[in-house]
mmCIF file of all heavy atoms in Angstrom:
data_model
loop_
_atom_site.group_PDB
_atom_site.id
_atom_site.type_symbol
_atom_site.label_atom_id
_atom_site.label_comp_id
_atom_site.label_asym_id
_atom_site.label_seq_id
_atom_site.Cartn_x
_atom_site.Cartn_y
_atom_site.Cartn_z
ATOM 1 N N SER B 310 39.328 36.623 147.525
ATOM 2 C CA SER B 310 40.197 35.713 146.781
ATOM 3 C C SER B 310 41.632 36.208 146.916
ATOM 4 O O SER B 310 41.863 37.379 147.210
ATOM 5 C CB SER B 310 39.782 35.627 145.312
ATOM 6 O OG SER B 310 39.984 36.854 144.653
ATOM 7 N N PRO B 311 42.587 35.308 146.694
ATOM 8 C CA PRO B 311 43.991 35.725 146.873
ATOM 9 C C PRO B 311 44.374 36.962 146.059
ATOM 10 O O PRO B 311 45.018 37.852 146.558
ATOM 11 C CB PRO B 311 44.767 34.483 146.425
ATOM 12 C CG PRO B 311 43.852 33.348 146.732
ATOM 13 C CD PRO B 311 42.472 33.874 146.434
ATOM 14 N N ARG B 312 43.936 36.956 144.779
ATOM 15 C CA ARG B 312 44.264 38.099 143.942
ATOM 16 C C ARG B 312 43.015 38.608 143.255
ATOM 17 O O ARG B 312 42.346 39.491 143.762
ATOM 18 C CB ARG B 312 45.343 37.700 142.918
ATOM 19 C CG ARG B 312 46.685 37.424 143.562
ATOM 20 C CD ARG B 312 47.566 36.569 142.687
ATOM 21 N NE ARG B 312 46.985 35.251 142.485
ATOM 22 C CZ ARG B 312 47.561 34.290 141.774
ATOM 23 N NH1 ARG B 312 48.718 34.507 141.185
ATOM 24 N NH2 ARG B 312 46.996 33.113 141.629
ATOM 25 N N GLY B 313 42.666 38.070 142.098
ATOM 26 C CA GLY B 313 41.518 38.592 141.372
ATOM 27 C C GLY B 313 40.594 37.490 140.911
ATOM 28 O O GLY B 313 40.499 36.427 141.523
ATOM 29 N N TYR B 314 39.927 37.758 139.766
ATOM 30 C CA TYR B 314 38.893 36.861 139.287
ATOM 31 C C TYR B 314 39.409 35.463 138.963
ATOM 32 O O TYR B 314 38.648 34.506 138.956
ATOM 33 C CB TYR B 314 38.278 37.406 137.989
ATOM 34 C CG TYR B 314 37.803 38.818 138.074
ATOM 35 C CD1 TYR B 314 38.123 39.724 137.073
ATOM 36 C CD2 TYR B 314 37.022 39.259 139.133
ATOM 37 C CE1 TYR B 314 37.673 41.024 137.129
ATOM 38 C CE2 TYR B 314 36.574 40.555 139.182
ATOM 39 C CZ TYR B 314 36.906 41.432 138.176
ATOM 40 O OH TYR B 314 36.464 42.718 138.232
ATOM 41 N N THR B 315 40.675 35.354 138.663
ATOM 42 C CA THR B 315 41.183 34.055 138.240
ATOM 43 C C THR B 315 41.437 33.124 139.414
ATOM 44 O O THR B 315 41.842 31.992 139.226
ATOM 45 C CB THR B 315 42.482 34.219 137.434
ATOM 46 O OG1 THR B 315 43.417 34.969 138.222
ATOM 47 C CG2 THR B 315 42.224 34.945 136.133
ATOM 48 N N ASP B 316 41.210 33.611 140.629
ATOM 49 C CA ASP B 316 41.368 32.766 141.807
ATOM 50 C C ASP B 316 40.009 32.335 142.341
ATOM 51 O O ASP B 316 39.025 33.049 142.196
ATOM 52 C CB ASP B 316 42.096 33.531 142.928
ATOM 53 C CG ASP B 316 43.512 33.883 142.539
ATOM 54 O OD1 ASP B 316 44.136 33.110 141.793
ATOM 55 O OD2 ASP B 316 43.982 34.946 142.975
ATOM 56 N N THR B 317 39.998 31.211 142.992
ATOM 57 C CA THR B 317 38.779 30.753 143.656
ATOM 58 C C THR B 317 38.360 31.766 144.712
ATOM 59 O O THR B 317 39.192 32.243 145.491
ATOM 60 C CB THR B 317 39.008 29.390 144.320
ATOM 61 O OG1 THR B 317 39.326 28.439 143.300
ATOM 62 C CG2 THR B 317 37.764 28.925 145.070
ATOM 63 N N GLN B 318 37.072 32.084 144.716
ATOM 64 C CA GLN B 318 36.551 33.014 145.706
ATOM 65 C C GLN B 318 35.970 32.246 146.891
ATOM 66 O O GLN B 318 35.334 31.216 146.724
ATOM 67 C CB GLN B 318 35.478 33.903 145.076
ATOM 68 C CG GLN B 318 36.047 34.804 143.993
ATOM 69 C CD GLN B 318 35.010 35.709 143.376
ATOM 70 O OE1 GLN B 318 33.969 35.996 143.972
ATOM 71 N NE2 GLN B 318 35.289 36.179 142.179
ATOM 72 N N TYR B 319 36.190 32.794 148.052
ATOM 73 C CA TYR B 319 35.690 32.205 149.290
ATOM 74 C C TYR B 319 34.613 33.125 149.839
ATOM 75 O O TYR B 319 34.860 34.319 150.049
ATOM 76 C CB TYR B 319 36.830 32.020 150.295
ATOM 77 C CG TYR B 319 37.853 31.025 149.826
ATOM 78 C CD1 TYR B 319 38.842 31.394 148.921
ATOM 79 C CD2 TYR B 319 37.816 29.711 150.269
ATOM 80 C CE1 TYR B 319 39.774 30.482 148.457
ATOM 81 C CE2 TYR B 319 38.757 28.789 149.826
ATOM 82 C CZ TYR B 319 39.718 29.176 148.922
ATOM 83 O OH TYR B 319 40.639 28.268 148.470
ATOM 84 N N PHE B 320 33.444 32.556 150.058
ATOM 85 C CA PHE B 320 32.286 33.366 150.405
ATOM 86 C C PHE B 320 32.013 33.371 151.903
ATOM 87 O O PHE B 320 32.237 32.374 152.600
ATOM 88 C CB PHE B 320 31.044 32.830 149.683
ATOM 89 C CG PHE B 320 31.006 33.185 148.221
ATOM 90 C CD1 PHE B 320 31.729 32.451 147.298
ATOM 91 C CD2 PHE B 320 30.245 34.253 147.770
ATOM 92 C CE1 PHE B 320 31.710 32.772 145.954
ATOM 93 C CE2 PHE B 320 30.213 34.582 146.422
ATOM 94 C CZ PHE B 320 30.946 33.842 145.522
ATOM 95 N N GLY B 321 31.484 34.491 152.363
ATOM 96 C CA GLY B 321 30.961 34.577 153.716
ATOM 97 C C GLY B 321 29.548 34.034 153.778
ATOM 98 O O GLY B 321 28.968 33.666 152.753
ATOM 99 N N PRO B 322 28.962 33.996 154.967
ATOM 100 C CA PRO B 322 27.628 33.410 155.150
ATOM 101 C C PRO B 322 26.499 34.303 154.654
ATOM 102 O O PRO B 322 25.374 33.837 154.499
ATOM 103 C CB PRO B 322 27.525 33.214 156.665
ATOM 104 C CG PRO B 322 28.443 34.239 157.226
ATOM 105 C CD PRO B 322 29.565 34.380 156.242
ATOM 106 N N GLY B 323 26.797 35.571 154.404
ATOM 107 C CA GLY B 323 25.783 36.463 153.878
ATOM 108 C C GLY B 323 25.016 37.223 154.944
ATOM 109 O O GLY B 323 24.966 36.824 156.116
ATOM 110 N N THR B 324 24.446 38.337 154.513
ATOM 111 C CA THR B 324 23.510 39.118 155.331
ATOM 112 C C THR B 324 22.173 39.114 154.622
ATOM 113 O O THR B 324 22.068 39.546 153.472
ATOM 114 C CB THR B 324 23.985 40.573 155.506
ATOM 115 O OG1 THR B 324 25.206 40.601 156.239
ATOM 116 C CG2 THR B 324 22.919 41.398 156.239
#
Side-chain angles (χ1 to χ4, degrees):
Chain B
S310 66
R312 292 159 296 181
Y314 308 133
T315 55
D316 295 328
T317 298
Q318 295 181 22
Y319 295 81
F320 284 81
T324 295

